[in-house]
Amino acid sequence: MSRRSALRLAGKGALLTAGGALLTVPAQPATAGSGAGEMSVTGGQPVEGLTTPSFAPTGRRPKYRRATWSQQFQAQHGWTPAGAGTASSEANDTASFVRGTQSVRVTTNGTGKQSYVRKVGLPAMDLTGKMIRLVFRVTDVAHLAKLDFYAGSGSLANHFVWQFHAHSKTSANYVQSGEWVTVHLQWADIAGAAGAYSISSSGVPSTRTGITDLSFAAYDDSAGQVTYHLQAVELVPDTSSVFPNGAVSITFDDSHRSIHDLARPAMDAHGYSGTVYNIADAIGTKDFLTIDQMRSMQDTSGWEMAGHSYATATHTASYPKLTAQQADEDFRRLREWLVSNGFTSEHFAYPHGAFQKTSDGVPVDLLASRHFSTARSIISETIESYAPAMPYRLKALTGINDGAGIGGTQLSKVTGLGGKLDRCAKNGDWLILCMHKIVEGAPASSTEISQKGFDAMMKEIDARGIPVVTVAEAMQYYT
């Protein structure tokens, strides 16, 4: 086994990946009397064998944004659960709630048609400078297809729609079974408009005022029913209240040397600093960053050196393939390695964006919270916000490339008219870009972008006057 495919961790176990490769993983024995390192999951079940983190997060987490308008679905809320896709509902469900004493419960009928919780005829609202905050729960996501939200007027004859969750059968999902989830919807993320409402070619909605109708909509996959609870629909100040032109974070995964050699000069030309999510085990090996390069980027150009995994094998397998004890040990060693080398970032990105449960049933994002202040995914159903709705599931746009026939996100979708940069600048959001390798020629995979394409993207950000901030800098605005 090569150096890059082996773990340099004390203690070894074995992990057989889906492809049949045998990887060594840490099997740190439980430390006697280490109760301070223990944690519990939903229901209070303890997770044993976890050692106390060497460097726990300092608590630099975003402040909670207070609602300027709120519907929490308590008694006499006046909203109607209905729709062709609804089998049953309870407008005042006292069995499951996370605020007050009740929520709205709805069960779909397994036909794939729309099920909703709706209110029309509200006093007209001005949503300028506001984003919509949703708090909800899906009991079992096995048959969930998607979730939408509508805001409009004229009994929704005029409306904007946000398609804020499309459920995946294979990848990590922002919405998971049995969890109370918080989602922020910003104007930059509008997916469509109808009636008297429209979206300009540059991605700007025709109005943000006179909103009288709101609707939370769920769709099953036509193969089974879905039960969901709606707890809150609220308005809170959006990203534009801090960044009128939005903000961009330029992040890189996997510690490729091309980040230093090709991306850094292009960003230095504009005074931009990025965030690199590093694999400790790869540092100093062929085609990867060295410690000296990392320190130069941090100390001379203001870059942030964050964490991605300690071991290359852990990155290859991803944390959900490990036990909670193995995953937590890799987190611990990663943070310890970063700090011991002078890199004090408290931010992390999941390998492959995977934050599902470990092999023994512990949520990976819960483990991440023991060691880091935020954790970034590669989910981009909607773009991230200030403050983020769920700091351990930060959303990011990945696979950005200027190749042909290699998948991912075409660069033109970012830089073109009405693309992600236009929407960010004209509506205000926090656009986190995730890249991996910069290449001098044509990219060969969706994890590569050409030097020419990357340089062009930096110029487009600059032309729009969008501020570029590291993830750590972004968090400082709300701490």
Side-chain angles (χ1 to χ4, degrees):
M1 184 176 291
S2 68
R3 180 183 183 279
R4 290 199 61 234
S5 62
L7 288 177
R8 297 183 301 172
L9 302 179
K12 295 183 179 180
L15 173 70
L16 190 65
T17 67
L22 184 65
L23 303 177
T24 55
V25 294
Q28 182 77 5
T31 303
S34 60
E38 294 180 358
M39 62 180 289
S40 63
V41 295
T42 302
Q45 180 180 355
V47 180
E48 298 179 352
L50 305 184
T51 59
T52 301
S54 304
F55 298 95
T58 59
R60 293 175 182 155
R61 298 181 61 185
K63 292 180 181 178
Y64 186 75
R65 305 209 78 173
R66 299 295 177 184
T68 59
W69 176 90
S70 179
Q71 174 54 258
Q72 300 190 38
F73 298 102
Q74 300 307 294
Q76 301 178 334
H77 55 75
W79 288 52
T80 302
T86 294
S88 64
S89 64
E90 173 53 66
N92 300 281
D93 184 83
T94 59
S96 182
F97 55 88
V98 73
R99 292 186 185 177
T101 59
Q102 65 176 50
S103 65
V104 179
R105 175 188 54 76
V106 184
T107 299
T108 68
N109 59 18
T111 63
K113 296 180 180 179
Q114 187 187 93
S115 169
Y116 62 73
V117 179
R118 178 178 298 177
K119 177 70 172 179
V120 299
L122 289 160
M125 293 184 287
D126 183 351
L127 272 60
T128 304
K130 307 293 183 185
M131 60 184 170
I132 299 167
R133 180 163 64 200
L134 306 174
V135 180
F136 62 93
R137 175 181 183 268
V138 178
T139 304
D140 187 340
V141 298
H143 294 293
L144 179 63
K146 66 173 184 173
L147 297 167
D148 293 348
F149 192 83
Y150 296 80
S153 61
S155 295
L156 290 174
N158 315 305
H159 67 255
F160 296 114
V161 60
W162 289 261
Q163 297 175 359
F164 67 90
H165 181 65
H167 205 72
S168 171
K169 300 295 184 182
T170 56
S171 302
N173 284 289
Y174 196 85
V175 179
Q176 299 186 20
S177 295
E179 295 182 343
W180 287 102
V181 176
T182 302
V183 168
H184 287 165
L185 306 179
Q186 300 185 98
W187 291 104
D189 291 315
I190 292 174
Y197 294 177
S198 62
I199 307 170
S200 75
S201 59
S202 59
V204 178
S206 56
T207 186
R208 305 182 193 204
T209 64
I211 303 299
T212 58
D213 310 331
L214 302 172
S215 181
F216 180 101
Y219 300 79
D220 59 43
D221 62 1
S222 301
Q225 296 178 305
V226 171
T227 296
Y228 61 95
H229 288 81
L230 184 58
Q231 183 63 83
V233 176
E234 302 178 313
L235 300 181
V236 297
D238 67 10
T239 303
S240 68
S241 63
V242 176
F243 291 108
N245 283 4
V248 170
S249 289
I250 304 168
T251 74
F252 302 84
D253 288 2
D254 300 350
S255 308
H256 294 289
R257 185 169 295 179
S258 63
I259 302 169
H260 173 273
D261 295 346
L262 303 179
R264 180 187 181 182
M267 293 175 66
D268 277 345
H270 298 281
Y272 295 161
S273 301
T275 296
V276 183
Y277 293 104
N278 292 284
I279 305 171
D281 199 36
I283 300 303
T285 64
K286 182 181 179 181
D287 297 328
F288 292 87
L289 295 171
T290 66
I291 289 285
D292 286 344
Q293 288 171 335
M294 293 172 66
R295 288 175 178 158
S296 174
M297 294 168 75
Q298 173 184 267
D299 299 341
T300 306
S301 295
W303 284 56
E304 175 185 13
M305 294 296 140
H308 200 31
S309 73
Y310 179 83
T312 301
T314 298
H315 176 269
T316 300
S318 78
Y319 287 101
K321 298 289 182 65
L322 310 180
T323 65
Q325 191 176 342
Q326 292 168 342
D328 191 74
E329 179 67 3
D330 192 84
F331 276 122
R332 185 187 69 80
R333 287 178 176 267
L334 172 62
R335 183 73 194 286
E336 187 177 71
W337 182 89
L338 287 167
V339 174
S340 66
N341 282 286
F343 309 121
T344 57
S345 170
E346 297 183 8
H347 305 285
F348 174 81
Y350 302 105
H352 315 296
F355 55 83
Q356 305 97 309
K357 292 181 179 179
T358 61
S359 61
D360 51 351
V362 177
V364 171
D365 54 348
L366 191 60
L367 294 170
S369 70
R370 286 167 43 85
H371 306 272
F372 293 91
S373 291
T374 71
R376 200 215 68 212
S377 73
I378 51 172
I379 292 172
S380 58
E381 301 164 324
T382 57
I383 300 304
E384 199 45 82
S385 62
Y386 283 112
M390 299 181 72
Y392 292 96
R393 296 182 189 180
L394 292 182
K395 298 179 177 181
L397 185 66
T398 192
I400 305 162
N401 71 87
D402 54 341
I406 58 176
T409 302
Q410 279 296 303
L411 180 61
S412 60
K413 298 293 185 181
V414 179
T415 61
L417 180 65
K420 295 295 185 181
L421 292 180
D422 269 354
R423 289 194 170 215
C424 178
K426 295 179 182 298
N427 296 288
D429 62 11
W430 179 20
L431 177 60
I432 304 178
L433 304 175
C434 169
M435 284 158 287
H436 294 76
K437 184 185 295 185
I438 318 297
V439 296
E440 293 180 332
S445 75
S446 62
T447 58
E448 298 178 349
I449 184 172
S450 74
Q451 183 177 12
K452 180 180 178 180
F454 184 81
D455 290 354
M457 184 164 60
M458 297 304 101
K459 292 176 181 177
E460 293 290 346
I461 294 172
D462 181 67
R464 290 167 175 79
I466 306 173
V468 172
V469 296
T470 65
V471 174
E473 289 171 335
M475 291 299 98
Q476 290 172 2
Y477 284 93
Y478 284 96
T479 56

